[in-house]
Amino acid sequence: MTRNRWLSVVAIPPWTGEVVDATGPQPKAVLDNSTQEGPMAESYTGEAYCVKCKEKREFTGHVEETNGRRFAKGICPVCGTKVTRILGKA
């Protein structure tokens, strides 16, 4: 039975000739954005229709803008489903 060299921990790609760790690239450090100065995201508190509960629910979320439209996105406090309310043009 032959062993595939690409499944081992260290593999040598034939086109480079160098030793490469086959486990993949190591994760980079995550930058903490909380210390940076800049515009705060607009928050929204109001009602939105929850499709799973089939009722209007009070929620607090953030405002996003896509294609010139503003949306308030948050989470239903009862079932945890994402809810969205269209706020209008920017």
Side-chain angles (χ1 to χ4, degrees):
M1 195 160 89
T2 61
R3 184 173 179 182
N4 188 346
R5 69 178 180 180
W6 294 106
L7 295 178
S8 64
V9 175
V10 176
I12 302 172
W15 58 89
T16 61
E18 62 186 57
V19 177
V20 178
D21 186 7
T23 58
Q26 298 299 321
K28 296 182 180 177
V30 178
L31 297 176
D32 184 15
N33 292 333
S34 62
T35 60
Q36 294 179 354
E37 300 272 337
M40 295 277 297
E42 185 180 353
S43 64
Y44 176 83
T45 301
E47 287 187 333
Y49 184 77
C50 177
V51 178
K52 193 171 183 181
C53 296
K54 297 182 181 176
E55 291 185 26
K56 279 191 174 182
R57 302 284 187 193
E58 281 284 327
F59 80 101
T60 301
H62 63 281
V63 177
E64 293 182 10
E65 185 177 331
T66 305
N67 295 331
R69 297 273 185 190
R70 292 178 51 226
F71 296 91
K73 294 186 177 184
I75 297 176
C76 175
V78 177
C79 66
T81 304
K82 291 181 184 177
V83 292
T84 303
R85 179 178 178 121
I86 301 172
L87 300 176
K89 293 188 176 182

